[in-house]
Amino acid sequence: MTRFLIRRVLELLLVFFGVTFTIYAMVFALPGDPISALGGSNRPLPENVVIRLREQFLLDEPLITQYLHYIGGLLMGDLGQTFDGRSVAERMSSRWPVTITLALTAWVVEVVIGVGLGLVAGLRQGKAIDKTVLVGTILATSVPVFVLGVTLQLVLGVWLGWVPVAGTTAGWPLAYILPAVIIALFGLASVSRLMRGTVIDTMRSDFVRTLVAKGMPKRRIVGVHVLRNSVGPVLTFLAIDLGYLLGGTVVIEGIFNLPGIGQLLFDAISTHEGPTIVGISTALIIIFLVTSVVVDIIASLLDPRIRRE
């Protein structure tokens, strides 16, 4: 178990440094001078101020030197500062509650609806409900998220007035339910199809045939034995997908004007605020990698064969 964990942690460290360096290089190696852009085109900053700020943010140093300085600060818990002197971590702290609430709401929708639809479809293989779930999941994943978001916002928010059009004034769950459902649709489709497949495989197992032959009620077979043996791969997917949900709210937060991490990232990209882009991306990468480690530990405890891979 110890060797397995050490190997996984080393692999994730390689991923972390590789991905963060790539993002850092993509953000800060782009042409243009973000310091000169602070004053705008009408009122450019004095040359001595530009020089001092470039020295402060090491923009005159080689890219690898800038990255190593950033990693050194990150190890001390510092996500960096914006070009106008604000802490990236402080800017993010007020945005996390909105993003976490939205992501968790979407995750619960995936769990309840996705697992439920997959279970019903697996038990009714080949029937109308099974075909409906398969067709519905294909349709859900074929529509771009921004098209779906704007359309449902117009129909349910503007025309019917069932949900707020934008903002968080209405609070949870009213202000979050529609954007959460839109985000969850894509993961929900995968969850339901995965659950359907595992239920079908489990129903064909010898131990299920034995339980049926012994006369055990179908409700008990499904609720105790089939569900328990089918949900393992689905739980692994759901745990990893929570990390994706936290980072995948950029478009939806922009459409619904939700003041979360996604909207902050979108604003930073629009204004070429490199430290904010890198800081948010790093935080999301850390969350995803930590989630992956936790999932690996749980999976290895449930199935010892994984440790020997």
Side-chain angles (χ1 to χ4, degrees), residues 52-66:
R52 185 171 61 83
L53 288 176
R54 290 185 63 83
E55 292 177 352
Q56 177 182 344
F57 289 97
L58 305 178
L59 295 179
D60 292 326
E61 299 291 336
L63 182 64
I64 187 64
T65 303
Q66 298 179 41

Side-chain angles (χ1 to χ4, degrees), residues 42-111:
N42 296 328
R43 299 180 61 183
L45 296 177
E47 186 63 26
N48 62 329
V49 175
V50 173
I51 294 174
R52 185 171 61 83
L53 288 176
R54 290 185 63 83
E55 292 177 352
Q56 177 182 344
F57 289 97
L58 305 178
L59 295 179
D60 292 326
E61 299 291 336
L63 182 64
I64 187 64
T65 303
Q66 298 179 41
Y67 175 72
L68 292 177
H69 182 269
Y70 173 74
I71 291 297
L74 185 63
L75 294 177
M76 302 299 293
D78 183 13
L79 288 173
Q81 286 188 335
T82 63
F83 292 135
D84 57 0
R86 291 179 292 175
S87 169
V88 174
E90 290 180 0
R91 294 191 68 190
M92 293 172 60
S93 62
S94 62
R95 305 289 188 120
W96 275 120
V98 174
T99 296
I100 291 175
T101 302
L102 179 60
L104 288 177
T105 304
W107 192 75
V108 170
V109 172
E110 284 189 15
V111 173

Side-chain angles (χ1 to χ4, degrees), residues 114-134 137 192-193 195-197 199-200:
V115 172
L117 289 177
L119 179 62
V120 173
L123 296 175
R124 303 289 183 181
Q125 183 185 7
K127 302 297 178 61
I129 184 63
D130 181 29
K131 296 178 181 178
T132 301
V133 170
L134 290 176
T137 54
S192 60
R193 295 174 74 91
M195 186 67 186
R196 173 185 178 274
V199 168
I200 291 174

Side-chain angles (χ1 to χ4, degrees), residues 21-42:
F21 179 75
T22 301
I23 293 175
Y24 196 95
M26 292 174 64
V27 171
F28 287 100
L30 293 174
D33 188 353
I35 300 299
S36 298
L38 287 177
S41 58
N42 296 328

Side-chain angles (χ1 to χ4, degrees), residues 17 25 127 204 214 237 249 273:
F17 287 114
K127 302 297 178 61
R204 294 172 178 172
K214 288 184 176 181
F237 175 85
T249 61
E273 182 60 60

